[in-house]
Amino acid sequence: MHLLFRDIERPELPGGNGEPEVTVLTLPGLDGSGDSHWQSHWEKLPHCRRVGFPDWSKPRLHEWVQALDEAIRDAGRPVVLAAHSLGCLAAAWWAVMRRKPGDQKVQAALLVAPPDVDEADIEPRIRDFGPVPQRRLPFRTMLVASRDDPFATIARSRRMAADWRSEFIDAGVAGPLNSGSGVGEWSAGLRHLARLCGRNPNLLVAELGLRTVLA
């Protein structure tokens, strides 16, 4: 059966004139996210855009936090963050260093495969993001971790989730949950995002799948 956009109910947040009530900001990690990464797929959705961190290959904490702060302030709507790998540390440090008390602009964050930057043999280029913040994050968060992520043990991921008061989601054996993990558009992650955004998970996945097919 051939489908057209008019054949599917458009997934919209309640309360607007057909417009999403939140902006989703994607936060890639070291070296950015390529075309086959789930973040790049998600950015095909109209309410989702990438934070342009400076120098993907040589990240500096204060530069990334500054870029994130500007992206949050420039967003016309409340924000939900969708972070992967080092982007999770940028989000956590933004909450510690730049968020003003009582500021509700960032409503939630999906934190996928944060690296253990405190590990002795971690990639040297990301050491500037250590130590891992231990404070409770001041907005709703979900932390998704894989049991065989080479950049953080599952026990360490659980510890980060506990420190941040994040809902912990065990993704099973899925590597670092990047484009090399074979998750494609990662519909399971999109459903987690939908929960944070208050959207219908099935409709959001359907919209992205249709856009991907017709692109």
Side-chain angles (χ1 to χ4, degrees):
M1 179 175 62
H2 297 288
L3 298 177
L4 299 175
F5 280 108
R6 64 173 178 270
D7 297 321
I8 290 184
E9 179 184 354
R10 296 299 301 280
E12 297 168 353
L13 285 164
N17 296 318
E19 291 295 322
E21 289 185 351
V22 299
T23 293
V24 176
L25 296 179
T26 62
L27 284 60
L30 181 68
D31 295 326
S33 295
D35 292 342
S36 60
H37 196 284
W38 53 266
Q39 288 180 318
S40 299
H41 286 292
W42 292 10
E43 288 157 12
K44 297 172 185 175
L45 294 168
H47 61 291
C48 187
R49 61 184 178 83
R50 178 172 299 192
V51 175
F53 290 133
D55 205 340
W56 296 104
S57 63
K58 296 179 181 179
R60 295 292 179 266
L61 174 61
H62 287 277
E63 293 178 357
W64 278 35
V65 168
Q66 176 64 28
L68 177 55
D69 189 63
E70 291 173 0
I72 291 169
R73 286 190 283 107
D74 290 345
R77 302 181 180 93
V79 167
V80 172
L81 306 176
H84 177 251
S85 190
L86 196 61
C88 300
L89 273 297
W93 275 117
W94 174 85
V96 171
M97 295 167 49
R98 299 301 296 269
R99 177 186 173 274
K100 295 179 174 58
D103 183 1
Q104 301 297 316
K105 185 68 176 290
V106 174
Q107 296 191 337
L110 179 65
L111 306 171
V112 181
D116 181 6
V117 293
D118 298 332
E119 179 63 32
D121 61 351
I122 199 67
E123 160 68 62
R125 291 183 294 161
I126 66 175
R127 287 196 180 281
D128 190 49
F129 285 67
V132 175
Q134 298 181 8
R135 297 185 187 180
R136 177 176 184 167
L137 299 184
F139 37 78
R140 183 185 177 191
T141 56
M142 295 180 187
L143 191 154
V144 184
S146 168
R147 297 181 187 181
D148 62 341
D149 186 345
F151 303 108
T153 66
I154 193 69
R156 186 68 173 104
S157 297
R158 288 184 182 277
R159 181 70 260 166
M160 284 188 273
D163 288 340
W164 296 343
R165 304 299 192 272
S166 299
E167 176 183 347
F168 182 78
I169 298 172
D170 185 339
V173 178
L177 286 164
N178 58 14
S179 54
S181 297
V183 296
E185 67 183 34
W186 196 35
S187 58
L190 198 59
R191 288 185 171 90
H192 299 323
L193 178 71
R195 288 173 55 201
L196 291 172
C197 294
R199 300 189 72 173
N200 183 310
N202 293 328
L203 290 179
L204 192 61
V205 171
E207 179 181 6
L208 179 58
L210 188 60
R211 286 174 179 269
T212 300
V213 168
L214 296 181

mmCIF file of all heavy atoms in Angstrom, residues 34-58:
data_model
loop_
_atom_site.group_PDB
_atom_site.id
_atom_site.type_symbol
_atom_site.label_atom_id
_atom_site.label_comp_id
_atom_site.label_asym_id
_atom_site.label_seq_id
_atom_site.Cartn_x
_atom_site.Cartn_y
_atom_site.Cartn_z
ATOM 1 N N GLY A 34 27.808 11.344 11.889
ATOM 2 C CA GLY A 34 27.702 11.271 10.439
ATOM 3 C C GLY A 34 26.277 11.060 9.962
ATOM 4 O O GLY A 34 25.326 10.983 10.756
ATOM 5 N N ASP A 35 26.130 10.940 8.647
ATOM 6 C CA ASP A 35 24.807 10.861 8.041
ATOM 7 C C ASP A 35 24.010 9.642 8.498
ATOM 8 O O ASP A 35 22.773 9.675 8.495
ATOM 9 C CB ASP A 35 24.920 10.836 6.511
ATOM 10 C CG ASP A 35 25.425 12.155 5.949
ATOM 11 O OD1 ASP A 35 25.360 13.169 6.670
ATOM 12 O OD2 ASP A 35 25.883 12.163 4.790
ATOM 13 N N SER A 36 24.683 8.556 8.852
ATOM 14 C CA SER A 36 23.968 7.344 9.238
ATOM 15 C C SER A 36 23.697 7.258 10.739
ATOM 16 O O SER A 36 23.099 6.289 11.212
ATOM 17 C CB SER A 36 24.761 6.102 8.791
ATOM 18 O OG SER A 36 26.051 6.072 9.390
ATOM 19 N N HIS A 37 24.125 8.253 11.483
ATOM 20 C CA HIS A 37 23.902 8.270 12.930
ATOM 21 C C HIS A 37 22.433 8.566 13.213
ATOM 22 O O HIS A 37 21.783 9.315 12.487
ATOM 23 C CB HIS A 37 24.787 9.343 13.566
ATOM 24 C CG HIS A 37 24.950 9.220 15.051
ATOM 25 N ND1 HIS A 37 23.971 9.573 15.934
ATOM 26 C CD2 HIS A 37 25.999 8.795 15.803
ATOM 27 C CE1 HIS A 37 24.398 9.387 17.171
ATOM 28 N NE2 HIS A 37 25.626 8.898 17.116
ATOM 29 N N TRP A 38 21.908 7.995 14.310
ATOM 30 C CA TRP A 38 20.499 8.221 14.640
ATOM 31 C C TRP A 38 20.190 9.701 14.875
ATOM 32 O O TRP A 38 19.079 10.162 14.571
ATOM 33 C CB TRP A 38 20.079 7.385 15.857
ATOM 34 C CG TRP A 38 20.912 7.522 17.092
ATOM 35 C CD1 TRP A 38 21.965 6.738 17.470
ATOM 36 C CD2 TRP A 38 20.764 8.498 18.148
ATOM 37 N NE1 TRP A 38 22.484 7.169 18.672
ATOM 38 C CE2 TRP A 38 21.762 8.228 19.114
ATOM 39 C CE3 TRP A 38 19.874 9.551 18.365
ATOM 40 C CZ2 TRP A 38 21.906 8.977 20.278
ATOM 41 C CZ3 TRP A 38 20.012 10.318 19.528
ATOM 42 C CH2 TRP A 38 21.016 10.032 20.460
ATOM 43 N N GLN A 39 21.157 10.469 15.367
ATOM 44 C CA GLN A 39 20.894 11.897 15.544
ATOM 45 C C GLN A 39 20.645 12.573 14.207
ATOM 46 O O GLN A 39 19.758 13.429 14.087
ATOM 47 C CB GLN A 39 22.068 12.567 16.261
ATOM 48 C CG GLN A 39 22.160 12.208 17.738
ATOM 49 C CD GLN A 39 23.326 12.884 18.414
ATOM 50 O OE1 GLN A 39 24.427 12.962 17.861
ATOM 51 N NE2 GLN A 39 23.114 13.375 19.621
ATOM 52 N N SER A 40 21.398 12.198 13.183
ATOM 53 C CA SER A 40 21.203 12.778 11.853
ATOM 54 C C SER A 40 19.838 12.399 11.293
ATOM 55 O O SER A 40 19.185 13.205 10.622
ATOM 56 C CB SER A 40 22.314 12.318 10.904
ATOM 57 O OG SER A 40 23.583 12.732 11.375
ATOM 58 N N HIS A 41 19.397 11.181 11.557
ATOM 59 C CA HIS A 41 18.053 10.773 11.145
ATOM 60 C C HIS A 41 16.996 11.618 11.854
ATOM 61 O O HIS A 41 16.052 12.111 11.230
ATOM 62 C CB HIS A 41 17.815 9.294 11.448
ATOM 63 C CG HIS A 41 18.526 8.356 10.531
ATOM 64 N ND1 HIS A 41 18.185 8.227 9.193
ATOM 65 C CD2 HIS A 41 19.542 7.485 10.744
ATOM 66 C CE1 HIS A 41 18.975 7.319 8.629
ATOM 67 N NE2 HIS A 41 19.810 6.869 9.543
ATOM 68 N N TRP A 42 17.154 11.765 13.154
ATOM 69 C CA TRP A 42 16.153 12.520 13.918
ATOM 70 C C TRP A 42 16.071 13.967 13.475
ATOM 71 O O TRP A 42 15.002 14.590 13.568
ATOM 72 C CB TRP A 42 16.492 12.457 15.409
ATOM 73 C CG TRP A 42 16.332 11.099 16.022
ATOM 74 C CD1 TRP A 42 16.104 9.908 15.372
ATOM 75 C CD2 TRP A 42 16.416 10.780 17.408
ATOM 76 N NE1 TRP A 42 16.044 8.878 16.264
ATOM 77 C CE2 TRP A 42 16.236 9.375 17.528
ATOM 78 C CE3 TRP A 42 16.637 11.523 18.555
ATOM 79 C CZ2 TRP A 42 16.247 8.721 18.772
ATOM 80 C CZ3 TRP A 42 16.668 10.879 19.786
ATOM 81 C CH2 TRP A 42 16.466 9.496 19.889
ATOM 82 N N GLU A 43 17.166 14.511 12.989
ATOM 83 C CA GLU A 43 17.169 15.917 12.586
ATOM 84 C C GLU A 43 16.342 16.169 11.326
ATOM 85 O O GLU A 43 16.153 17.325 10.926
ATOM 86 C CB GLU A 43 18.612 16.389 12.398
ATOM 87 C CG GLU A 43 19.347 16.549 13.731
ATOM 88 C CD GLU A 43 20.856 16.477 13.605
ATOM 89 O OE1 GLU A 43 21.364 16.536 12.456
ATOM 90 O OE2 GLU A 43 21.526 16.331 14.642
ATOM 91 N N LYS A 44 15.812 15.111 10.719
ATOM 92 C CA LYS A 44 14.875 15.282 9.610
ATOM 93 C C LYS A 44 13.502 15.736 10.102
ATOM 94 O O LYS A 44 12.690 16.217 9.320
ATOM 95 C CB LYS A 44 14.730 13.970 8.834
ATOM 96 C CG LYS A 44 16.008 13.500 8.170
ATOM 97 C CD LYS A 44 15.852 12.115 7.577
ATOM 98 C CE LYS A 44 17.169 11.597 7.016
ATOM 99 N NZ LYS A 44 17.071 10.188 6.540
ATOM 100 N N LEU A 45 13.238 15.573 11.384
ATOM 101 C CA LEU A 45 11.976 16.014 11.959
ATOM 102 C C LEU A 45 11.990 17.540 12.109
ATOM 103 O O LEU A 45 13.028 18.123 12.409
ATOM 104 C CB LEU A 45 11.746 15.346 13.317
ATOM 105 C CG LEU A 45 11.539 13.819 13.254
ATOM 106 C CD1 LEU A 45 11.618 13.218 14.655
ATOM 107 C CD2 LEU A 45 10.198 13.478 12.609
ATOM 108 N N PRO A 46 10.853 18.188 11.927
ATOM 109 C CA PRO A 46 10.837 19.651 11.840
ATOM 110 C C PRO A 46 11.189 20.371 13.130
ATOM 111 O O PRO A 46 11.583 21.520 13.108
ATOM 112 C CB PRO A 46 9.393 19.960 11.422
ATOM 113 C CG PRO A 46 8.601 18.764 11.837
ATOM 114 C CD PRO A 46 9.523 17.597 11.677
ATOM 115 N N HIS A 47 11.065 19.709 14.271
ATOM 116 C CA HIS A 47 11.306 20.375 15.548
ATOM 117 C C HIS A 47 12.675 20.049 16.120
ATOM 118 O O HIS A 47 12.941 20.341 17.285
ATOM 119 C CB HIS A 47 10.238 19.951 16.557
ATOM 120 C CG HIS A 47 10.244 18.474 16.825
ATOM 121 N ND1 HIS A 47 9.852 17.557 15.885
ATOM 122 C CD2 HIS A 47 10.617 17.772 17.929
ATOM 123 C CE1 HIS A 47 9.975 16.337 16.391
ATOM 124 N NE2 HIS A 47 10.443 16.436 17.617
ATOM 125 N N CYS A 48 13.545 19.442 15.322
ATOM 126 C CA CYS A 48 14.802 18.907 15.834
ATOM 127 C C CYS A 48 15.989 19.497 15.069
ATOM 128 O O CYS A 48 16.005 19.476 13.834
ATOM 129 C CB CYS A 48 14.780 17.382 15.696
ATOM 130 S SG CYS A 48 16.167 16.526 16.458
ATOM 131 N N ARG A 49 16.982 20.019 15.789
ATOM 132 C CA ARG A 49 18.153 20.570 15.114
ATOM 133 C C ARG A 49 19.400 20.349 15.963
ATOM 134 O O ARG A 49 19.328 20.145 17.175
ATOM 135 C CB ARG A 49 17.974 22.055 14.814
ATOM 136 C CG ARG A 49 17.774 22.952 16.022
ATOM 137 C CD ARG A 49 17.507 24.378 15.591
ATOM 138 N NE ARG A 49 17.261 25.277 16.698
ATOM 139 C CZ ARG A 49 18.196 25.871 17.420
ATOM 140 N NH1 ARG A 49 19.466 25.644 17.139
ATOM 141 N NH2 ARG A 49 17.883 26.686 18.402
ATOM 142 N N ARG A 50 20.541 20.407 15.299
ATOM 143 C CA ARG A 50 21.819 20.095 15.931
ATOM 144 C C ARG A 50 22.480 21.328 16.534
ATOM 145 O O ARG A 50 22.417 22.417 15.975
ATOM 146 C CB ARG A 50 22.752 19.467 14.896
ATOM 147 C CG ARG A 50 24.134 19.140 15.397
ATOM 148 C CD ARG A 50 24.926 18.344 14.379
ATOM 149 N NE ARG A 50 24.265 17.069 14.074
ATOM 150 C CZ ARG A 50 24.824 16.071 13.403
ATOM 151 N NH1 ARG A 50 26.067 16.198 12.956
ATOM 152 N NH2 ARG A 50 24.162 14.959 13.176
ATOM 153 N N VAL A 51 23.125 21.132 17.669
ATOM 154 C CA VAL A 51 23.971 22.173 18.240
ATOM 155 C C VAL A 51 25.334 22.093 17.555
ATOM 156 O O VAL A 51 25.968 21.034 17.525
ATOM 157 C CB VAL A 51 24.128 21.993 19.757
ATOM 158 C CG1 VAL A 51 25.125 23.022 20.310
ATOM 159 C CG2 VAL A 51 22.789 22.134 20.460
ATOM 160 N N GLY A 52 25.772 23.195 16.996
ATOM 161 C CA GLY A 52 27.049 23.222 16.295
ATOM 162 C C GLY A 52 28.200 23.491 17.236
ATOM 163 O O GLY A 52 28.607 24.650 17.425
ATOM 164 N N PHE A 53 28.731 22.454 17.843
ATOM 165 C CA PHE A 53 29.863 22.628 18.742
ATOM 166 C C PHE A 53 31.123 22.982 17.944
ATOM 167 O O PHE A 53 31.341 22.457 16.848
ATOM 168 C CB PHE A 53 30.133 21.349 19.531
ATOM 169 C CG PHE A 53 29.089 21.026 20.566
ATOM 170 C CD1 PHE A 53 28.564 19.754 20.665
ATOM 171 C CD2 PHE A 53 28.644 21.995 21.441
ATOM 172 C CE1 PHE A 53 27.611 19.444 21.622
ATOM 173 C CE2 PHE A 53 27.681 21.706 22.396
ATOM 174 C CZ PHE A 53 27.171 20.424 22.490
ATOM 175 N N PRO A 54 31.974 23.834 18.480
ATOM 176 C CA PRO A 54 33.224 24.164 17.786
ATOM 177 C C PRO A 54 34.230 23.022 17.873
ATOM 178 O O PRO A 54 34.347 22.368 18.911
ATOM 179 C CB PRO A 54 33.725 25.409 18.530
ATOM 180 C CG PRO A 54 33.108 25.319 19.879
ATOM 181 C CD PRO A 54 31.786 24.620 19.709
ATOM 182 N N ASP A 55 34.928 22.787 16.784
ATOM 183 C CA ASP A 55 36.026 21.824 16.705
ATOM 184 C C ASP A 55 35.637 20.461 17.259
ATOM 185 O O ASP A 55 35.987 20.079 18.378
ATOM 186 C CB ASP A 55 37.263 22.353 17.446
ATOM 187 C CG ASP A 55 38.547 21.721 16.901
ATOM 188 O OD1 ASP A 55 38.459 20.650 16.266
ATOM 189 O OD2 ASP A 55 39.624 22.298 17.104
ATOM 190 N N TRP A 56 34.915 19.700 16.432
ATOM 191 C CA TRP A 56 34.451 18.371 16.829
ATOM 192 C C TRP A 56 35.609 17.443 17.188
ATOM 193 O O TRP A 56 35.447 16.541 18.011
ATOM 194 C CB TRP A 56 33.645 17.745 15.693
ATOM 195 C CG TRP A 56 32.378 18.463 15.357
ATOM 196 C CD1 TRP A 56 32.151 19.267 14.285
ATOM 197 C CD2 TRP A 56 31.159 18.452 16.097
ATOM 198 N NE1 TRP A 56 30.866 19.753 14.313
ATOM 199 C CE2 TRP A 56 30.237 19.267 15.413
ATOM 200 C CE3 TRP A 56 30.754 17.816 17.276
ATOM 201 C CZ2 TRP A 56 28.935 19.468 15.858
ATOM 202 C CZ3 TRP A 56 29.456 18.026 17.722
ATOM 203 C CH2 TRP A 56 28.567 18.836 17.018
ATOM 204 N N SER A 57 36.757 17.625 16.564
ATOM 205 C CA SER A 57 37.859 16.688 16.775
ATOM 206 C C SER A 57 38.743 17.052 17.968
ATOM 207 O O SER A 57 39.480 16.208 18.469
ATOM 208 C CB SER A 57 38.733 16.601 15.517
ATOM 209 O OG SER A 57 39.343 17.851 15.240
ATOM 210 N N LYS A 58 38.683 18.314 18.420
ATOM 211 C CA LYS A 58 39.473 18.742 19.566
ATOM 212 C C LYS A 58 38.557 19.499 20.532
ATOM 213 O O LYS A 58 38.643 20.727 20.670
ATOM 214 C CB LYS A 58 40.638 19.628 19.126
ATOM 215 C CG LYS A 58 41.657 18.909 18.248
ATOM 216 C CD LYS A 58 42.772 19.850 17.831
ATOM 217 C CE LYS A 58 43.787 19.142 16.933
ATOM 218 N NZ LYS A 58 44.867 20.070 16.493
#
